[in-house]
Amino acid sequence: MKRIDCLVLPACVLLAACAPLPPADNAALTKQVTATERAFAQTMARRDFAAFQTFLSEEAVFDGGREPLRGKAAVAAAWKAYFEGAQAPFSWEPDRVAVLASGTLAQSGGPVRDPQGKVMARFNSIWRQEAPGQWRVVFDKGEPVCDCKAEKP
């Protein structure tokens, strides 16, 4: 009898580990990512470079220049200059957030504004949940705003 118990218990544990996870609460995760994006943006407004770095994944890729910045250290080194001076050179805020049904990745996007409040670009970021409730940016790309009416066909 004891031998059967020794076999049944590990089998039950293994089966439980293979059971699908309950579905993520997408609305709650969307609020969580939105709050994380806003907190990330506030690091620029507060001129808090140390806090900015805590939102970066070790694998972060920021694309917006000549070549993508790869890795947390490279992103931080390139962005350090944006935190110098009393006034932030730009600000951003999310106006859309979407989270995968699995709750592991999210996309955020929104306007980037100059110090006078004029929209100068849009950002798009991909966030990864690296621990429960802990989102870090893995991809970020800024795009200049197009004045499409001024362009000729």
Side-chain angles (χ1 to χ4, degrees):
M1 189 68 144
K2 287 183 182 181
R3 182 168 178 98
I4 291 175
D5 288 343
C6 291
L7 296 175
V8 171
L9 182 59
C12 290
V13 170
L14 183 61
L15 285 173
C18 294
L21 295 173
D25 180 348
N26 202 274
L29 291 175
T30 299
K31 286 180 184 179
Q32 197 176 75
V33 173
T34 301
T36 301
E37 181 69 70
R38 289 185 191 285
F40 185 45
Q42 281 301 307
T43 66
M44 178 67 73
R46 289 191 326 266
R47 320 305 292 131
D48 190 345
F49 181 64
F52 169 82
Q53 294 175 82
T54 67
F55 290 90
L56 302 174
S57 171
E58 290 296 329
E59 298 179 284
V61 175
F62 276 43
D63 190 8
R66 180 172 265 167
E67 292 291 323
L69 302 169
R70 295 183 174 277
K72 180 178 182 174
V75 171
W79 276 63
K80 186 170 177 36
Y82 295 134
F83 286 84
E84 296 170 358
Q87 185 177 17
F90 55 87
S91 63
W92 71 93
E93 62 182 322
D95 63 7
R96 68 173 192 266
V97 173
V99 180
L100 288 180
S102 66
T104 57
L105 291 175
Q107 178 187 25
S108 61
V112 178
R113 298 180 190 279
D114 69 15
Q116 292 71 44
K118 181 181 177 194
V119 175
M120 58 188 239
R122 280 196 63 84
F123 76 89
N124 288 289
S125 299
I126 304 296
W127 295 85
R128 178 172 60 201
Q129 187 167 202
E130 294 189 346
Q134 185 176 59
W135 293 88
R136 291 219 168 84
V137 66
V138 288
F139 290 100
D140 184 85
K141 183 167 179 67
E143 297 281 342
V145 175
C146 172
D147 184 3
C148 298
K149 293 180 184 177
E151 291 183 6
K152 295 183 180 181

